[in-house]
């Protein structure tokens, strides 16, 4: 991709690790100091995340929306 798009090409990436799997406290609030430690639970979490298209669909929705806004702006500038 670097060869194709160049070293300065814009990109976005998200990396989640087990340190991002937080438990909730007794009030139902996320306890950022308390992480899931069970390897089987962590494996299941990341399997479900990786097996879901929802995240990719939402990203594509945003890209499509931003692209459409840019196109409309360019068309207005031509008038």
């Amino acid at each position: 991709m670097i060869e194709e798009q160049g070293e300065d090409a814009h990109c976005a990436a998200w990396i989640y690790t087990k340190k991002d799997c937080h438990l909730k406290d007794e009030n139902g609030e996320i306890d950022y100091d308390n992480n899931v430690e069970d390897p089987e639970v962590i494996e299941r979490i990341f399997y479900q995340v990786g097996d879901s298209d929802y995240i990719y669909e939402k990203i594509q929705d945003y890209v499509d929306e931003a692209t459409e806004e840019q196109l409309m702006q360019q068309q207005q500038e031509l008038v």
Side-chain angles (χ1 to χ4, degrees):
M1 289 178 74
I2 292 171
E3 289 177 8
E4 178 185 324
Q5 297 181 19
E7 292 181 12
D8 296 330
H10 294 283
C11 70
W14 288 262
I15 297 175
Y16 283 82
T17 70
K18 67 180 185 176
K19 296 291 185 184
D20 297 301
C21 301
H22 305 288
L23 299 172
K24 293 186 178 181
D25 63 18
E26 59 276 353
N27 298 320
E29 300 293 322
I30 295 174
D31 181 356
Y32 291 102
D33 295 323
N34 194 2
N35 297 83
V36 174
E37 296 295 333
D38 184 333
E40 290 180 17
V41 173
I42 293 168
E43 182 177 350
R44 189 170 65 242
I45 290 168
F46 285 107
Y47 175 81
Q48 290 173 347
V49 169
D51 196 41
S52 172
D53 288 337
Y54 179 78
I55 295 167
Y56 303 110
E57 290 171 5
K58 296 315 269 178
I59 292 169
Q60 190 61 53
D61 288 347
Y62 182 76
V63 169
D64 292 345
E65 181 181 316
T67 302
E68 183 66 26
E69 287 175 7
Q70 180 67 30
L71 179 61
M72 290 176 62
Q73 183 180 10
Q74 287 174 343
Q75 288 174 343
Q76 288 175 353
E77 290 173 358
L78 293 175
V79 175

